[in-house]
Amino acid sequence: MTAFIAPGATLGVMGGGQLGRMFVHAAQQMGYFTAVLDADAASPAGLVAQHHIRADYLDAGGLAELAQLSAAITTEFENVPASALATLARSRPVAPAAAAVSICQDRAAEKAHFAACGVPCAPHALIETPEQLAAVGDDLLPGILKTARLGYDGKGQARVRSRADLAAAWAALQHAPCVLEKMLPLAYEVSVIVARSAQGQVVHFPLQQNLHRDGILAVTQVPAPDVTAAVQLRAVDAAERIASAMGYVGVLCVEFFVLADGAVVANEMAPRPHNSGHYSIDACDVSQFELQVRAMTGAPLVAPRLHSPAVMLNLLGDLWFREGGEREVAPPWREVLALPGTHLHLYGKTSARPGRKMGHLTVTASSAEQARATALQASQLLGLAPF
Ligand code: ATP
Ligand code: MG
């Protein structure tokens, strides 16, 4: 992966969601062509790419076509089967590699990797058998039971207070392999997005402070209002070590809990650009999607610079059903766009559903106070809770 793939080449993406769409936009801006593999005819990235291969992730013909079209391939969806990435890697550079993606696909493997890097994570136990369930220590309660694989946006999780809750929650999750994590008293949450090149160069974005509601990211603020210099150092150092120890190539996001005493505890990681980095399109001189293009093409990585304080609000499908009816009603975009520094991003999804990520709004301003004040006005117009 040391050769430079120059603009004019075609870059492939496994997955056609909004992350793929924003990657395609960045690649196109830089003069690359794009090919997306996603079975959904209406996938957000498929709609904007030059080539849309409508095939399942494991479809041999689809993978061969993607490899044939593309000079290098990335993934926008962390649950793309690692074996599909390994197949592609036989003929084309793939970043991130299958081995790194497969660590991120399994919470137990992910936590083992954090530990191997000397990065603390929440006390936890693996639950795959009734014996392991019975052996769980009371010190892990109250806790959160999470499926080891395929969870996202708080799906595949249950909060449990007692052993009876725990047994019932595991049954409700069909006795799938799970991790029980102790519920930690969070002061706040942050994420760090890094990009690493094949040569081992690492750059990072400023810390993002993230507010989740019902297990889904709701608000990201940059600069992070509560972060101290010590927390900043610890989190960036941890994220860089986590990426380097995997020999990672591409953009990686690590989510952290920060406790009242300033302890920084790794929660989970995503082997791709992340929802908490969407603000970088409008508020940084280089976005997380451009860094993904640079990393996979062997272009130099440059340290991104935040040029405007920013607040990002996630726009979930719930916003289309504010009247309480069955019918979709578009949110008041005109009023929102009248506010200074608002950047509306909608992903081109054809129907809204509660909890579905439909878009995001980034508010930039010359000060963090102003960005927050405007974001609060936008929240009020949209019927979102204040933060
Ligand atoms: P994502 O969409 O980020 O992949 P996910 O479904 O994988 O989400 P997690 O990141 O594991 O979910 O958890 C979602 C949120 O739940 C966290 O951001 C945090 O607010 C809360 N949470 C998770 N684990 C814990 C814990 N051990 N202690 C306290 N809060 C927690
Ligand atoms: Mg998470």
Side-chain angles (χ1 to χ4, degrees):
M1 274 275 286
T2 45
F4 173 53
I5 297 169
T10 298
L11 304 179
V13 194
M14 290 290 279
Q18 63 266 16
L19 297 167
R21 178 181 174 100
M22 289 181 271
F23 169 85
V24 165
H25 287 153
Q28 289 174 335
Q29 178 178 309
M30 294 170 73
Y32 292 94
F33 296 91
T34 52
V36 165
L37 185 145
D38 191 300
D40 180 2
S43 77
L47 289 175
V48 297
Q50 279 83 5
H51 306 277
H52 180 188
I53 301 163
R54 289 182 204 165
D56 291 328
Y57 297 129
L58 288 171
D59 180 272
L63 293 175
E65 191 182 347
L66 185 68
Q68 196 260 323
L69 284 167
S70 311
I73 297 158
T74 189
T75 177
E76 65 100 45
F77 176 59
E78 71 198 74
N79 289 319
V80 164
S83 62
L85 299 177
T87 300
L88 293 167
R90 283 195 225 118
S91 57
R92 289 287 183 262
V94 174
V101 173
S102 70
I103 294 174
C104 302
Q105 287 174 343
D106 185 302
R107 288 187 193 276
E110 191 170 69
K111 285 177 162 51
H113 182 72
F114 294 153
C117 295
V119 176
C121 55
H124 62 278
L126 188 59
I127 300 181
E128 289 182 316
T129 65
E131 292 71 31
Q132 285 172 319
L133 180 75
V136 160
D138 286 333
D139 58 317
L140 293 181
L141 296 171
I144 306 190
L145 186 68
K146 303 179 179 180
T147 55
R149 304 179 71 86
L150 299 173
Y152 70 98
D153 288 350
K155 295 186 176 71
Q157 299 197 3
R159 299 190 173 212
V160 293
R161 311 205 134 270
S162 62
R163 305 190 82 87
D165 281 359
L166 175 60
W170 195 43
L173 294 171
Q174 324 288 327
H175 300 120
C178 281
V179 171
L180 174 67
E181 273 179 42
K182 185 181 176 68
M183 182 75 89
L184 297 176
L186 312 185
Y188 57 93
E189 294 182 74
V190 296
S191 55
V192 178
I193 295 171
V194 300
R196 187 176 181 279
S197 71
Q199 291 75 34
Q201 187 196 359
V202 187
V203 298
H204 65 86
F205 285 90
L207 259 67
Q208 292 91 220
Q209 186 162 330
N210 302 324
L211 172 69
H212 294 85
R213 295 192 179 119
D214 300 324
I216 307 180
L217 181 65
V219 181
T220 294
Q221 298 183 77
V222 190
D226 296 322
V227 164
T228 60
V231 165
Q232 157 96 20
L233 271 178
R234 260 177 233 145
V236 170
D237 175 64
E240 291 187 351
R241 272 186 290 140
I242 287 164
S244 296
M246 292 188 286
Y248 192 87
V249 180
V251 169
L252 175 80
C253 178
V254 186
E255 295 180 51
F256 295 95
F257 302 137
V258 184
L259 311 186
D261 63 0
V264 170
V265 176
N267 171 25
E268 60 169 357
M269 57 182 171
R272 49 171 173 74
H274 191 256
N275 196 167
S276 65
H278 291 353
Y279 76 94
S280 63
I281 297 173
D282 301 301
C284 295
D285 57 357
V286 182
S287 78
Q288 61 170 349
F289 300 101
E290 178 174 345
L291 281 180
Q292 182 79 323
V293 173
R294 285 174 176 250
M296 73 185 287
T297 58
L301 299 184
V302 289
R305 186 178 63 84
L306 182 77
H307 56 65
S308 301
V311 176
M312 184 217 63
L313 305 175
N314 250 352
L315 304 173
L316 302 182
D318 309 63
L319 295 184
W320 276 252
F321 298 98
R322 292 194 305 147
E323 332 274 87
E326 301 270 286
R327 209 167 52 84
E328 284 184 28
V329 179
W333 301 134
R334 197 167 191 278
E335 287 78 356
V336 169
L337 290 169
L339 300 172
T342 49
H343 310 270
L344 179 63
H345 297 253
L346 291 172
Y347 307 143
K349 297 185 183 179
T350 42
S351 63
R353 280 195 305 272
R356 188 174 198 202
K357 288 177 177 168
M358 301 297 290
H360 67 271
L361 182 79
T362 303
V363 180
T364 54
S366 56
S367 71
E369 294 68 32
Q370 186 56 55
R372 181 165 189 274
T374 305
L376 284 169
Q377 283 180 282
S379 299
Q380 190 169 26
L381 286 170
L382 292 167
L384 293 167
F387 54 90

